[in-house]
Amino acid sequence: SQFMFRNALWRHADKTAVVVGGRSYSYRELDELSTRLAAQLRGLGLNKGDRLAIALRNCVEFAITDLAILKLGAVKVPQNEMLSRSDVSYMIGHSGARLLVVHGSLKDKLDKAELATTALADIVEVDDLGVGVDVGHRDWQQLLAEPAVEFEWGAVEPDDAAFILYTGGTTGRSKGVMHTHRAMMINGLTHIVHGEIAETEKLLLTSPLPHSAGFFLQTAFLQGATVHVHARFDPLAVLDAISRDKVTWTFMVPTMIYR
């Protein structure tokens, strides 16, 4: 999996990877920013196999953190903003996450008393401008301020864990399901083949990146496509973006289509 992402970042360096909030990021920029973040996270003690929880809205920081986790060989634990306070704190603790990257507007999802009993060692907070919003926690901008020096990707094997997804929890507490790098790549290649995501695609993602949309984002990166990310779904904004940005591929659930 690392080879394919590494090759894609190199091959498509000059292309636009993500457009969010009116700002475009090239594959080269994402590669550099995620390497800086990975190096800083390693300095904080996050190593191969360690769990990192993400509680972010649809923002470029999600893409940067996702790639940094891959470069570290760490394990991603994505948290959907639609989850309850109880579920978020439970999943962070149950997964054994050692670090959390959280959007400033989602701080109320954290039960600090419960988190104090977990393995969580550090928290990185970001806001819509990529700037730390709490002086008591790590500052995102500060983490990315210095270029990474001699960073080496943490080698992974196909059967190593890549991420932990939690079940719906309809009959009790959600269960953490471990997914390997092999499974992640099979998923990505399936999206390429059956979802027909090509290099020339201009994707529009408006649903939460910690859920299905995040896998389409990864697939787009594998192909060198361009992804337009919206903070939320708005029918008029979607129609406008399809026309203005020449969107060729998007993802919606039935309720969104009906609207």
Side-chain angles (χ1 to χ4, degrees), residues 167-179:
T167 61
T170 53
T171 58
R173 274 297 194 185
S174 298
K175 298 171 179 63
V177 181
M178 193 84 75
H179 296 265

Side-chain angles (χ1 to χ4, degrees), residues 119-180:
L120 200 63
D122 218 329
I123 297 175
V124 177
E125 289 189 24
V126 301
D127 67 8
D128 288 327
L129 299 177
V131 179
V133 293
D134 188 327
V135 295
H137 294 149
R138 300 285 175 172
D139 184 297
W140 173 272
Q141 195 78 352
Q142 184 179 358
L143 286 181
L144 270 62
E146 296 297 327
V149 178
E150 297 180 1
F151 176 83
E152 292 293 333
W153 289 46
V156 297
E157 298 297 328
D159 291 326
D160 286 341
F163 53 90
I164 299 173
L165 298 182
Y166 278 80
T167 61
T170 53
T171 58
R173 274 297 194 185
S174 298
K175 298 171 179 63
V177 181
M178 193 84 75
H179 296 265
T180 65

Side-chain angles (χ1 to χ4, degrees), residues 4 6 8 11 25 30 44 49 52 63 68 82 87 90 92 110 117 122 129 148 156 161 167 175 192 218 226 237:
M4 293 185 67
R6 194 169 192 165
R11 286 183 59 224
Y25 297 82
L30 287 190
L44 294 176
L52 187 153
M82 303 303 290
D87 283 340
Y90 165 73
I92 291 173
L110 307 179
T117 67
D122 218 329
L129 299 177
V156 297
T167 61
K175 298 171 179 63
I192 290 172
Q218 283 189 338
T226 297

Side-chain angles (χ1 to χ4, degrees), residues 2-259:
Q2 287 181 325
F3 172 78
M4 293 185 67
F5 279 103
R6 194 169 192 165
N7 187 48
L9 291 170
W10 173 74
R11 286 183 59 224
H12 305 291
D14 294 327
K15 288 189 63 180
T16 297
V18 177
V19 181
V20 56
R23 165 83 155 86
S24 297
Y25 297 82
S26 69
Y27 277 88
R28 178 179 289 107
E29 285 180 282
L30 287 190
D31 191 15
E32 179 181 346
L33 290 170
S34 58
T35 294
R36 291 186 188 185
L37 179 61
Q40 292 288 346
L41 295 179
R42 182 175 286 168
L44 294 176
L46 197 74
N47 296 303
K48 175 185 173 181
D50 287 339
R51 281 77 163 137
L52 187 153
I54 303 180
L56 292 175
R57 298 190 183 279
N58 282 12
C59 54
V60 72
E61 289 86 357
F62 184 96
I64 294 170
T65 306
D66 200 8
L67 288 170
I69 291 172
L70 184 73
K71 292 179 177 184
L72 285 165
V75 181
K76 177 173 62 175
V77 186
Q79 302 293 300
N80 195 318
E81 65 184 85
M82 303 303 290
L83 292 171
S84 69
R85 177 188 176 104
S86 173
D87 283 340
V88 169
S89 297
Y90 165 73
M91 292 174 186
I92 291 173
H94 181 263
S95 67
R98 297 196 63 251
L99 193 139
L100 166 67
V101 178
V102 61
H103 195 280
S105 64
L106 297 176
K107 286 193 298 181
D108 60 351
K109 295 283 186 180
L110 307 179
D111 186 327
K112 294 188 177 180
E114 186 171 340
L115 291 181
T117 67
T118 70
L120 200 63
D122 218 329
I123 297 175
V124 177
E125 289 189 24
V126 301
D127 67 8
D128 288 327
L129 299 177
V131 179
V133 293
D134 188 327
V135 295
H137 294 149
R138 300 285 175 172
D139 184 297
W140 173 272
Q141 195 78 352
Q142 184 179 358
L143 286 181
L144 270 62
E146 296 297 327
V149 178
E150 297 180 1
F151 176 83
E152 292 293 333
W153 289 46
V156 297
E157 298 297 328
D159 291 326
D160 286 341
F163 53 90
I164 299 173
L165 298 182
Y166 278 80
T167 61
T170 53
T171 58
R173 274 297 194 185
S174 298
K175 298 171 179 63
V177 181
M178 193 84 75
H179 296 265
T180 65
H181 281 267
R182 187 195 310 277
M184 179 174 70
M185 293 316 300
I186 290 174
N187 186 65
L189 293 173
T190 299
H191 286 326
I192 290 172
V193 175
H194 293 287
E196 299 181 354
I197 297 177
E199 178 183 342
T200 55
E201 228 71 75
K202 292 185 178 180
L203 295 88
L204 174 62
L205 298 178
T206 63
S207 55
L209 292 176
H211 202 255
S212 301
F215 293 108
F216 297 128
L217 180 72
Q218 283 189 338
T219 304
F221 288 168
L222 288 173
Q223 289 288 72
T226 297
V227 185
H228 293 261
V229 177
H230 287 195
R232 63 189 62 83
F233 174 74
D234 177 86
L236 292 180
V238 166
L239 291 174
D240 181 58
I242 290 173
S243 176
R244 182 187 64 246
D245 302 320
K246 304 295 189 289
V247 169
T248 61
W249 197 104
T250 192
F251 164 70
M252 299 183 192
V253 299
T255 303
M256 298 160 73
I257 297 173
Y258 300 151
R259 287 184 62 191

